[in-house]
Each structure stands twice: as C-alpha cells, then as structure tokens.
Amino acid sequence: MASTAGVESSVFVGKEDDIIQSKRKTAVVHGRHVVVIYHEGQFYAMDMHCYHAGGPLHLGDIEEINGKLCIVCPWHKYKITLAEGEGLYQGINPQAPKSSAKWCSKGVKQRTHCVHVRNGDVYVTLSDLSAGIDSDYYQSEEYRQTLKKA
Ligand code: FES
C-alpha cells in the first residue's frame, strides 16, 4: 500500500472564478492527478483517470442518470457519479429479458475528493486512501511505468 503520510492537507488548485468559467481544472494534489469540475453551482473533484482503463475524465460530458449527475468517460462511455464515484451500468433481469434495462450500481469505482472554497481560492483535500478503490491503479507508479514503455 502507498504511503499516505501528509496527504490529508488541502492543496490550492485554482481561483474560484477561473474554475467556474472553465468548468474543469486538472491539478496534481500530493502526486495524484485529479480533475475539479464545476457544474450547476457545485464543485466536485475526482481522480482524473477513469477506473476502467485510465481514460481522460476531464474531457467527459456530464449527464443526469437516475437523478444522479455523472461524468461520461470519453473512451468507452462508462458513467460515473460525480458526487460518489459510483460506476453505473444498465442491467437487464435475465428472468424477464423483455423488460427494459434498469440503471444499476457497480459500487464506488472512482475515487472522489473534497473541494473547499476559501476567499475565492479553491482547495482539494484527498479522500482517505487507506482502502483501495479501482481508480487508484491509474495513479500508481506501476501504471506510469507502463505509459513510459508504450
Ligand atoms: Fe473510461 Fe473505458 S477508460 S470507459
């Protein structure tokens, strides 16, 4: 497991007005690549690389699915809730194959982080890293090494 020492402190990622205008901002927080998203009056932060195969979530569209705002990964269109990092998929009941597909949850797959605004400055605090989440792999040194070899 990676060391988590010191990662609990918040890190300045940009000016509130700038992020509201651009709606997206990528940043490195304690060595972790995150995207800060401003949408409908709220800030969100999550790991920037998609839990499925490392896709660039900062380039994804936002859709509302089942009343939850989701980022849609531009690579394979996985839907991830902005607030919780939950992976959503459409499932069909095999006992009733003619019924329409329903949105279901895979559970939390993408690590989300806390965003705070103080005096017009936006800060991100990483979530508790002690328990692994799927998107962690795309923040790892192992993954960075595979990119260098590609
Ligand atoms: Fe995001 Fe595949 S990398 S859906």
Side-chain angles (χ1 to χ4, degrees):
M1 184 188 309
S3 167
T4 58
V7 299
E8 62 282 344
S9 61
S10 62
V11 170
F12 171 77
V13 295
K15 300 298 284 181
E16 180 181 16
D17 290 347
D18 294 342
I19 299 176
I20 287 172
Q21 194 170 5
S22 64
K23 300 199 176 347
R24 309 281 167 92
K25 170 83 193 229
T26 60
V28 178
V29 176
H30 297 296
R32 203 165 180 101
H33 295 244
V34 302
V35 55
V36 177
I37 296 168
Y38 178 80
H39 186 78
E40 295 179 348
Q42 289 283 329
F43 286 98
Y44 304 88
M46 60 172 50
D47 285 351
M48 189 176 99
H49 304 296
C50 174
Y51 75 90
H52 174 226
L57 292 182
H58 61 292
L59 302 178
D61 292 331
I62 294 175
E63 285 179 14
E64 189 176 321
I65 296 172
N66 261 2
K68 291 186 170 187
L69 289 170
C70 296
I71 190 101
V72 181
C73 179
W75 280 8
H76 312 103
K77 308 299 179 197
Y78 277 31
K79 323 286 195 239
I80 302 166
T81 64
L82 286 180
E84 303 87 3
E86 219 180 330
L88 300 184
Y89 69 100
Q90 280 193 300
I92 294 179
N93 181 351
Q95 310 298 325
K98 289 190 178 158
S99 63
S100 53
K102 289 197 168 70
W103 284 104
C104 306
S105 173
K106 301 177 192 175
V108 174
K109 298 290 187 177
Q110 192 74 21
R111 189 176 290 284
T112 58
H113 306 287
C114 294
V115 185
H116 307 279
V117 181
R118 264 196 315 268
N119 302 323
D121 294 333
V122 179
Y123 297 84
V124 168
T125 308
L126 297 181
S127 65
D128 178 1
L129 302 173
S130 57
I133 293 180
D134 291 33
S135 67
D136 290 346
Y137 172 70
Y138 297 98
Q139 302 288 336
S140 69
E141 189 53 36
E142 183 186 350
Y143 176 65
R144 291 190 183 127
Q145 289 303 322
T146 64
L147 290 181
K148 284 181 189 165
K149 289 178 195 159

